[in-house]
Amino acid sequence: MDNRSRKRAFILFAVFGILVLLGPYGDSRVSAVDRSTYKSLKTFSEVLDMVEKNYVEPVDTEKLMQGAINGMIKSLDPHSMYMTAEMHKELEVETRGSFGGLGIEITILKDVLTVVSPIEDTPAYNAGIKAGDQIIKIDDVSTKDITITEAVKKLRGPRDTKVTITIMREGFTKPKDIVITRSIIKIKAVKTKIYDNQIGYIRIATFQERAVEELKKALREITTKTNPLAGIVLDLRNNPGGLLNQSVEVSDLFLKSGVIVTTRGRTPGMESKAVAKNDGDEPTCPIVVLVNEGTASASEIVSGALQDNGRAVILGAQTFGKGSVQTVIPMEGGAALKLTTAKYYTPKGRSIQAEGITPDIAVKQIRPPEDRNGND
């Protein structure tokens, strides 16, 4: 091994050693590192050295390192990812600005790009995209081995431009192409209706930053227009989630006391518990919560909180099962690591991740004929 290779190997060992010892948060606690870890790092350095010397064409070492890091993080779960400085900056811009999109939440499920849920009144919803649809191509390019970040980048684009996604759905005999026109996604979080002058129906499409404010307004309107309010139907079907604080506050609007959700991680700093407080104006009527396969994340927190506290009957199909917490950890040079650091648990200690919420009353959704043959 020449001096250049030795130097690189030394740096690799030093950097990886610091990461292993200190952990991703720079924690001062030191953990033991077994011999196999050092052996693996040595193997990694040797492989990198052989590739640099013997590959048929000159290689970009930085690109190789990027690939190695991506492969390591990808092996954890679909939601963890390493972001270069450019990707991190793009993420920050997207969270502040508006962009053209389809209105779907996606994930990687069993190595396949899958729709968690379409958001109501968005291009994807209006085009007939459904929870559980597998996206096998985007603009005729296979999504095999694609990451969520890459998929989002392909699906987003300027307003009024078109994108073609090829989907497979349970019951389809062949894939189906769906052309969707991108639009600026503006969502009305809460919609209401009143049935028989005494039943309040509340539809929450997503847990965006105004969800609680809109829900409070809806509850006031329903209470004023009904006499008495005999019951509330809370519709969380195809709600892909959103902000954790909004789901906690929504749950609190219906609960006088009790745990709402518990967050547990590997480090003590990731453990937390949200508890309901009695504001004196919580509805006292019976509540039914409607859920389905597209009910995910924050909407599962609300469903689980109301179910475990005995405040509502959950009706519908098993929910999606997305109950993990991602933390963005800034790194030197503007890069960042988006890492799954905790999981959500219902008041009775049930894990939401990969399990979802089981309804008290199961109702299987009947799909229309076109959903069963893949043709219009």
Side-chain angles (χ1 to χ4, degrees), residues 163-176:
V163 60
T164 301
I165 63 174
T166 305
I167 66 166
M168 273 299 292
R169 181 180 298 164
E170 184 180 356
F172 272 19
T173 56
K174 60 181 180 179
K176 180 179 181 180

Side-chain angles (χ1 to χ4, degrees), residues 224-291:
T224 301
K225 294 178 181 179
T226 57
N227 188 23
L229 179 58
I232 294 175
V233 176
L234 185 62
D235 190 348
L236 298 180
R237 292 174 298 176
N238 294 319
N239 182 323
L243 301 173
L244 171 62
N245 71 312
Q246 294 292 295
S247 68
V248 170
E249 291 183 44
V250 164
S251 302
D252 197 11
L253 291 178
F254 298 104
L255 295 170
K256 292 182 179 294
S257 63
V259 174
I260 294 173
V261 64
T262 300
T263 304
R264 298 182 210 158
R266 189 174 177 182
T267 62
M270 291 308 303
E271 293 186 5
S272 64
K273 181 183 293 184
V275 180
K277 56 186 182 299
N278 188 351
D279 294 319
D281 57 357
E282 293 84 358
T284 57
C285 62
I287 301 173
V288 172
V289 179
L290 304 182
V291 299

